[in-house]
Amino acid sequence: MIGQRDSVSGAHFAFTDRWGGVSAAPYEELNLGGAVGDDPEAVTTNRELAAKSLGLDPARVVWMNQVHGADVAVVSEPWGKQPVPRVDAVVTAERGLALAVLTADCTPVLLADPVAGIAAAAHAGRPGVVAGVVPAALRAMTELGADPARIVARTGPAVCGRCYEVPEEMRAEVAAVEPAAHAETSWGTPAVDVSAGVHAQLDRLGVHDRRQSPVCTLESGDHFSYRRDRATGRLAGYVWLD
Ligand SMILES: [Zn+2]
C-alpha cells in the first residue's frame, strides 16, 4: 500500500506501491489513476483505502489532470464540482490539504516548507524536465512565502537512467536543458535520467534537503511501469502539512 513514508517537522511525504487495492488485472491492485481504463468504482475505493492508511480524509486530497506541461495551480480547497485543471503541479498554503501526483515511470516530486506552511506536488517526466515544471512549482511556492533553504524535497519511485532508453536526439534535447539527465542504459544505448535532472534543478535553485527513492519502477514488480506494461495502473505521491 504505502511503500515509503516520512515526516519532517510536520510535513508528510508518502508514495504508494501497487499492492493493497481492489483493482483487477492489469491494474492490480492499488491503481489510483482515473484515466487509464480501470473501473472508476475500483479507483474510488483505492483512493479511499490509500487516504485512510495515511490518516487523510479522501475528500481533502487534491488530484491533477496531468498533461506533461509546466503549468501550476495554487489551491486552497478541493476542486469539488469544478473541473480538475490540466496542470502538472499544485501548490497550497492550506495546512491539512493533501496534494497528490500520479505516476508510472515519471518522477513524482513532493516539496514542503514546514515553517511557511507551503506544500507542492509535481509530475516530472522527460517533457516536464525540459519544460521546467519543478522550477515553476518552486517559483509558485516562493511567491507564497516559502524559502528554498527550508524546503524539504522527496522524489518517488521512477524509471531509472539505466532503463529509460531514448533515441540519441531525444537525449541530446533533454541534456541541452539539463545536463544531469544525460544517461546511458545498462546495455550501452542513450538514456535519460529524469530523477537526476529533477534533483539537479532543485539543487541549483537552493533546495538541498532532498531524498530520492532508490526504486526503479521498470525493474520493480511492486510498482506500476508504463514502459514495461503499457496497460497498467498509476502510483501516487502525497504531501501535506499538519
Ligand atoms: Zn531501472
Side-chain angles (χ1 to χ4, degrees):
M1 173 88 64
I2 306 304
Q4 195 182 323
R5 182 179 178 170
D6 78 309
S7 301
V8 179
S9 309
H12 305 283
F13 308 89
F15 296 101
T16 61
D17 62 28
R18 70 181 295 167
W19 307 121
V22 300
S23 291
Y27 309 106
E28 77 277 22
E29 295 169 354
L30 190 71
N31 167 44
L32 297 163
V36 292
D38 193 4
D39 172 10
E41 280 185 35
V43 176
T44 300
T45 301
N46 289 341
R47 287 182 174 188
E48 287 169 2
L49 289 168
K52 272 184 197 133
S53 78
L54 294 169
L56 294 169
D57 174 355
R60 302 277 299 160
V61 177
V62 176
W63 301 89
M64 295 177 266
N65 185 357
Q66 302 167 188
V67 293
H68 286 286
D71 286 343
V72 183
V74 176
V75 291
S76 54
E77 56 185 23
W79 303 122
K81 300 233 183 296
Q82 297 176 65
V84 178
R86 292 159 69 89
V87 296
D88 289 87
V90 274
V91 176
T92 193
E94 191 68 28
R95 292 180 183 271
L97 189 66
L99 308 177
V101 49
L102 293 166
T103 57
D105 291 339
C106 288
T107 301
V109 186
L110 307 178
L111 306 166
D113 176 342
V115 176
I118 314 286
H123 164 246
R126 180 181 46 76
V129 166
V130 174
V133 65
V134 171
L138 259 181
R139 206 150 48 233
M141 290 178 79
T142 52
E143 278 166 14
L144 290 172
D147 177 352
R150 288 191 306 244
I151 290 176
V152 180
R154 299 288 182 261
T155 63
V159 63
C160 82
R162 293 181 314 281
C163 290
Y164 188 4
E165 184 176 48
V166 296
E168 177 74 64
E169 321 79 72
M170 197 176 270
R171 176 172 70 175
E173 179 210 351
V174 179
V177 175
E178 188 42 75
H182 186 280
E184 193 170 295
T185 59
S186 54
W187 55 99
T189 57
V192 168
D193 189 332
V194 171
S195 294
V198 166
H199 279 267
Q201 290 178 331
L202 287 169
D203 192 60
R204 200 176 303 122
L205 292 165
V207 179
H208 303 305
D209 184 349
R210 306 188 310 271
R211 215 174 282 168
Q212 180 179 345
S213 165
V215 173
C216 169
T217 44
L218 194 140
E219 294 174 72
S220 166
D222 295 326
H223 294 78
F224 296 119
S225 170
Y226 174 75
R227 281 180 79 89
R228 182 185 61 216
D229 299 327
R230 296 294 153 176
T232 192
R234 293 293 179 271
L235 307 161
Y238 298 83
V239 61
W240 69 101
L241 290 148
D242 286 336

